[in-house]
Amino acid sequence: MAERLLDACAALRYPAGRLHLQVLDDSTDETVALVAARVAHYRAQGVHIDHVRRATRTGFKAGALAYGLTRTEGELIAIFDADFVPQPDFLEQVVPHFYLDEAENTRTGVVQTRWGHLNEEYSLLTSLQAFALNAHFYVEQVGRQQGGHFLNFNGTGGVWRRACIEDAGNWHADTLTEDLDLSYRAQLRGWHFRYLPQVAAPAELPATMDALKSQQFRWTKGGAETARKHLGAVWRSDQPLVTRLQATFHLLNSTVFLAILLMAVLSVPLVFMRARVPQLEPAFQMATAFLVVLVPLVFYFRTAWQRAALDRPAPRPGFMRQLLLFLAFSMGLSLHNSRAVLLGLLGQRTAFIRTPKLGLMQQPGAWRGRRYRTSRLRSGLTLLEGLLCLYFLVGIGAGVYLREFGLLPTHLLLATGYGLVFYYSLRHAA
């Protein structure tokens, strides 16, 4: 996969004397030799490319990025994670947007592009991830930009102005989302971010449950850590009230998993309460009014689905099936992600766990011999996810037996979601 990335970066169209490639390599396995050979290959062809190794892995990704910055004079810094495959015209499409500042009286610090998906159709796991990411890149980022609110650099597939990184205090390793952290520090300093949904940077989606869980843990815990770090500064800033509110929801969005988990655990006793305490019936009837939230939710994801369809070679049916599976799977991750959020809000430090990628493309292939683990899937948390699946099956049975069907759709989604997470955790641990 690293070789694939180097081949793509060496093919970038840009003036040769002004393009410096750095491979920030903290690997401790055979990747080091593979990268060294590829770097030597391109250096022999006249490409300005360096294989950057550090004595220690202090700061993990943030530390590597900060170290790399000291070893280049580049004015603009494009960043690609190892699983990305930028197109040859990537820089040609992105760099001009840094030079619209004079006409618009702004200081552009970052130009972010949309993530494409190399292996969206590989499995159910990858298709559901693409479904969620498309909503982020086709709706959320577009809406934030049009509203003039804070955007976030997505960690890769974008270009920073070096002066912006340095003015904002460089990369910090005190959160697991160094990208979100630096994004907020830069925008609080007055830098402007641009988002280009028309430019895609293709990447590989995690194909195994341990990879997905490690990524989700990092994103949710890091978001909570960044909220803990910056919410005070956001509200002390002179940003418009609506922007401060939007930033608050942005930074705290991962806390929704706490609400989902609490709702889920309490929902089964509610089935029995409704049957045994008729005086609570008016409250249950009022609760059904919250079904109206499905209307904007469907509209939100439908918009992303339709926009993504424009970039596909052929239309893909099954929107409602995909939406329901996505909702179920998100609910199934609520225990895992709630733990991450709580650790982040409480300020508990944890290691930066990389997300395994396997060089997979659209068509299924053998991956078991090539993968590496980031965590123990057969853990107490996995067992608890399996028990929660049974718990919600009890809720379904109780609802049918007592003829209380109000929570049946919720319990069907929860049982399906936790069942999927438990099943894939066991399957990918084999």
Side-chain angles (χ1 to χ4, degrees), residues 216-217 220-221 224 335-345:
Q216 287 289 308
F217 182 89
T220 51
K221 182 175 185 287
L335 175 64
H336 175 271
N337 288 353
S338 291
R339 174 177 174 270
V341 172
L342 286 174
L343 289 174
L345 292 176

Side-chain angles (χ1 to χ4, degrees), residues 121-254:
E121 299 179 11
Y122 185 81
S123 68
L124 177 62
L125 279 183
T126 58
S127 66
L128 292 179
Q129 292 172 73
F131 187 81
L133 287 170
N134 286 342
H136 172 70
F137 283 104
Y138 282 108
V139 181
E140 289 180 12
Q141 291 287 63
V142 172
R144 289 174 185 140
Q145 175 161 263
Q146 291 182 351
H149 306 312
F150 282 6
L151 290 166
N152 60 290
F153 172 63
N154 291 107
T156 175
V159 183
W160 282 82
R161 191 188 293 274
R162 181 195 190 97
C164 174
I165 297 174
E166 295 174 340
D167 180 62
N170 215 318
W171 300 97
H172 291 180
D174 56 350
T175 75
L176 294 182
T177 46
E178 75 295 323
D179 46 4
L180 182 62
D181 170 37
L182 184 56
S183 296
Y184 266 78
R185 283 188 279 120
Q187 287 168 110
L188 287 169
R189 294 279 298 170
W191 289 92
H192 179 67
F193 282 26
R194 298 182 187 273
Y195 173 60
L196 306 181
Q198 71 274 22
V199 181
E204 182 182 324
L205 295 160
T208 61
M209 183 54 74
D210 62 329
L212 176 59
K213 281 186 170 180
S214 69
Q215 185 183 73
Q216 287 289 308
F217 182 89
R218 193 171 66 249
W219 287 356
T220 51
K221 182 175 185 287
E225 290 172 331
T226 305
R228 194 170 185 266
K229 181 176 179 179
H230 291 303
L231 265 181
V234 167
W235 281 96
R236 289 190 298 270
S237 73
D238 58 358
Q239 294 292 327
L241 176 61
V242 65
T243 296
R244 283 179 282 166
L245 286 171
Q246 187 277 333
T248 301
F249 284 113
H250 184 194
L251 290 172
L252 292 175
N253 62 8
S254 59

Side-chain angles (χ1 to χ4, degrees), residues 138 299 301-312 319:
Y138 282 108
F299 178 77
F301 282 104
R302 183 70 182 179
T303 300
W305 177 271
Q306 291 172 331
R307 293 185 181 182
L310 299 176
D311 298 312
R312 297 186 184 122
F319 166 74

